[in-house]
Amino acid sequence: MQKTIEWVDDLLCRNQAAFNPKRYDETRLRNTAELVFVRHILEFPIPRTYAPSGLPDVDAYKMECSQRADWLAQMPLVALPGIESYRSLKLGQLSEWCDFHVLLARAMGDDVAALRAFTPSAAHCSQYVDALEGKTDIKQVWRHLVASQCETNSKPKVCLAEYLSVEGRPDEAKRIKADVLSYGWQNCSTRYLETGNAISKVAASMEARLKLEFGQRFRVTRARSCAD
């Protein structure tokens, strides 16, 4: 006797897999299919989701991260070769992502010094923290930053004029801080995340192997055509 499950993948294609219910638990099988084929279920939370008053709620964000980690760690899965290593890798990425964005969220409030806790980027990005803490001229740092941002823009003069238009406005200080924090420190520091691009390539390779193993074991077929 056979049963089937269906799921929609990242390309909005509806897929189908056949299985023997006496050998495989349907819930485990469905979880495994979604973990392997539906990448967006592993998307990491973003602090700005919890910012109804304009600033992130750090406690709410940390709670969401904890719940997401528990969900992924406890998800019943079919024991495909390598799937637990894949789960561990994704949990590691989630943990580092959340720790990084907790520091960023704290800095969006008044705790700019929290950024110094992210030591991997200290030698490369501390000039932005110095500016945010008032140890150097933040406006000078900001002007250099926006000039660099606009160099690659298709209309660099227009781009620069738009950025500089905040000067003299009531919210000038707030907007300059936001630019230095996001375009400055965040963009600079993201490249030093240990689970960044290099680990993402490892994860993609593991995911490809899991898709192949799953497809061979459960005869995955395209049930319907993809969405436009």
Side-chain angles (χ1 to χ4, degrees):
M1 183 177 68
Q2 285 196 332
K3 293 182 66 176
T4 60
I5 60 167
E6 290 189 357
W7 69 92
V8 177
D9 62 23
D10 292 325
L11 298 177
L12 301 182
C13 302
R14 190 169 295 278
N15 298 273
Q16 187 177 86
F19 70 101
N20 184 339
K22 292 184 178 181
R23 292 187 60 192
Y24 296 99
D25 175 74
E26 182 172 348
T27 298
R28 285 180 178 272
L29 186 63
R30 190 178 299 279
N31 287 344
T32 305
E34 292 183 349
L35 184 70
V36 173
F37 290 94
V38 189
R39 187 171 300 163
H40 72 261
I41 72 167
L42 292 177
E43 288 180 351
F44 300 153
I46 300 174
R48 287 180 178 83
T49 304
Y50 310 95
S53 62
L55 291 174
D57 184 331
V58 177
D59 289 337
Y61 177 68
K62 290 168 70 174
M63 178 64 71
E64 171 66 12
C65 285
S66 178
Q67 291 174 347
R68 190 73 61 91
D70 289 344
W71 165 79
L72 179 55
Q74 297 170 17
M75 179 187 292
L77 299 170
V78 174
L80 296 179
I83 199 162
E84 289 305 329
S85 296
Y86 180 68
R87 189 203 311 247
S88 295
L89 185 146
K90 299 307 293 185
L91 282 167
Q93 285 185 304
L94 172 62
S95 177
E96 187 184 55
W97 170 275
C98 286
D99 289 346
F100 180 82
H101 282 84
V102 163
L103 299 179
L104 185 60
R106 286 169 58 186
M108 291 175 70
D110 297 321
D111 190 10
V112 174
L115 300 177
R116 297 193 184 278
F118 187 68
T119 56
S121 71
H124 310 276
C125 311
S126 61
Q127 70 268 27
Y128 301 113
V129 187
D130 291 340
L132 289 164
E133 289 181 329
K135 295 177 179 178
T136 58
D137 185 348
I138 191 171
K139 200 165 185 178
Q140 182 178 354
V141 171
W142 172 73
R143 278 177 163 269
H144 178 74
L145 176 64
V146 297
S148 299
Q149 285 284 114
C150 292
E151 280 180 356
T152 56
N153 190 280
S154 60
K155 297 181 179 179
K157 291 184 179 180
V158 174
C159 171
L160 187 60
E162 288 179 353
Y163 273 112
L164 298 182
S165 67
V166 308
E167 293 181 327
R169 293 184 182 181
D171 62 347
E172 175 186 333
K174 179 180 178 181
R175 295 183 66 172
I176 287 176
K177 176 187 174 182
D179 285 344
V180 172
L181 181 58
S182 57
Y183 300 125
W185 185 85
Q186 183 179 3
N187 285 357
C188 178
S189 295
T190 298
R191 71 192 70 172
Y192 299 102
L193 286 168
E194 292 181 4
T195 59
N197 293 334
I199 298 300
S200 295
K201 291 179 181 178
V202 174
S205 177
M206 296 171 73
E207 181 184 296
R209 290 196 296 271
L210 288 168
K211 286 180 178 179
L212 180 62
E213 175 68 27
F214 189 97
Q216 291 175 341
R217 188 176 297 194
F218 300 106
R219 300 201 316 273
V220 174
T221 58
R222 193 64 52 78
R224 299 178 190 173
S225 61
C226 302
D228 293 333

